[in-house]
Amino acid sequence: MIHDPTSDHDDAEAADNDSTEGENTADGRPHRRIRSFVTRAGRVSTGQRRALDDFGPRFVVPYTPQPLDWDATFSRSAPRVLEIGFGMGATTAEIATARPGDDFLGVEVHEPGVGALLKLIGEQGLENIRIVQHDAVEVLEHMIAAESLDGVHIYFPDPWHKARHHKRRLIQPGFVSLLVSRLKPGGYLHLATDWQNYAEQMLEVLSAEPALDNTSDAGYAPRPDYRPVTKFERRGLKLGHGVWDLVFKRR
């Protein structure tokens, strides 16, 4: 989910005692797997609710533990791009408008964001977006076939900026390995963040993945033309904050 850099992530405090995958409790029961998000109780507006009702049946794909048939879902064969955590969907809609020849599957857990993107889909008549409202890890594991994606977008994921929360960041070696397994050879992975420490971690993790090559000799890439500047990013830039893009390709 695209985050507001002004957020203090108070709900991370409540999540700080969550368990790590693979460890057991004192009575031997397995801990829950750490999720890459915290479910926030956002209010769904009247317009978002109407969009969920009107456009959800057509554009929201139910989660199922089996590979998605992209050609049947989009009624065509086209390059396939997965976006993880699209927030309120404005960036997704803008990219889909600029790239009508590509199909975009957006994964987001928060209902207001799903409703907001559906509203944009309806207003702009977009046909090349579908949505899965579910945990991205399970979608990748079960709905995305190996070597089936032409691209992956992850923009401004929650930075979990306190050091003790860094383990909750989405971009970790195991998750990147899963992403790479779903990319076609030559497929790209595009990340962006406005937290320098997270950018450094992203660069380190992606550079250590043997199946990926950095497209930029400088480490961080110039912002590709297709990625619009978000309102939070624009505000941060005015305040002198940095933004880092990373674009890697699968060998």
Side-chain angles (χ1 to χ4, degrees):
M1 183 183 72
I2 294 175
H3 73 279
D4 181 345
T6 64
S7 170
D8 59 6
H9 304 285
D10 285 340
D11 45 2
E13 300 292 345
D16 193 34
N17 292 323
D18 281 356
S19 307
T20 56
E21 184 179 13
E23 297 175 349
N24 292 333
T25 60
D27 59 3
R29 290 180 293 107
H31 283 312
R32 293 173 301 159
R33 177 171 66 182
I34 286 179
R35 293 194 177 253
S36 58
F37 60 90
V38 172
T39 303
R40 299 175 175 87
R43 186 180 72 84
V44 178
S45 71
T46 300
Q48 292 165 0
R49 176 56 60 193
R50 185 180 301 114
L52 285 162
D53 294 339
D54 292 348
F55 301 109
R58 179 177 176 189
F59 293 98
V60 175
V61 179
Y63 168 78
T64 55
Q66 58 188 19
L68 178 69
D69 185 336
W70 286 72
D71 291 356
T73 299
F74 288 90
S75 300
R76 67 175 184 174
S77 180
R80 303 163 178 176
V81 179
L82 178 72
E83 181 173 4
I84 295 174
F86 56 74
M88 301 306 284
T91 294
T92 309
E94 191 165 342
I95 293 175
T97 298
R99 294 167 54 175
D102 296 340
D103 289 334
F104 295 88
L105 181 68
V107 180
E108 177 60 65
V109 296
H110 299 102
E111 191 170 40
V114 174
L117 180 53
L118 287 170
K119 188 170 183 289
L120 292 171
I121 288 172
E123 291 171 349
Q124 300 177 25
L126 298 172
E127 298 289 339
N128 59 335
I129 299 176
R130 297 295 184 274
I131 298 168
V132 179
Q133 187 177 354
H134 198 76
D135 174 42
V137 175
E138 292 186 352
V139 171
L140 279 164
E141 288 176 339
H142 303 297
M143 292 189 71
I144 307 299
E147 298 189 352
S148 65
L149 297 175
D150 294 274
V152 174
H153 298 168
I154 305 176
Y155 300 146
F156 304 98
D158 195 324
W160 295 104
H161 60 286
K162 295 182 180 179
R164 67 178 182 274
H165 295 149
H166 286 182
K167 64 185 178 182
R168 303 189 173 283
R169 288 175 169 175
L170 184 63
I171 305 305
Q172 306 283 355
F175 182 70
V176 169
S177 178
L178 177 60
L179 285 174
V180 169
S181 73
R182 273 35 181 178
L183 281 172
K184 297 176 182 177
Y188 72 92
L189 174 59
H190 180 192
L191 311 181
T193 182
D194 56 357
W195 284 80
Q196 184 174 359
N197 175 267
Y198 201 2
E200 292 167 353
Q201 177 184 329
M202 289 177 171
L203 182 59
E204 180 181 354
V205 171
L206 269 58
S207 297
E209 169 53 56
L212 288 177
D213 289 320
N214 196 339
T215 64
S216 174
D217 292 336
Y220 302 109
R223 178 179 60 84
D225 291 340
Y226 61 78
R227 184 179 77 75
V229 179
T230 71
K231 64 178 181 179
F232 296 127
E233 180 180 357
R234 190 175 296 111
R235 183 174 66 188
L237 290 171
K238 287 182 179 179
L239 295 173
H241 300 165
V243 175
W244 295 265
D245 284 77
L246 301 93
V247 182
F248 281 66
K249 285 192 174 182
R250 181 179 171 182
R251 294 176 181 171

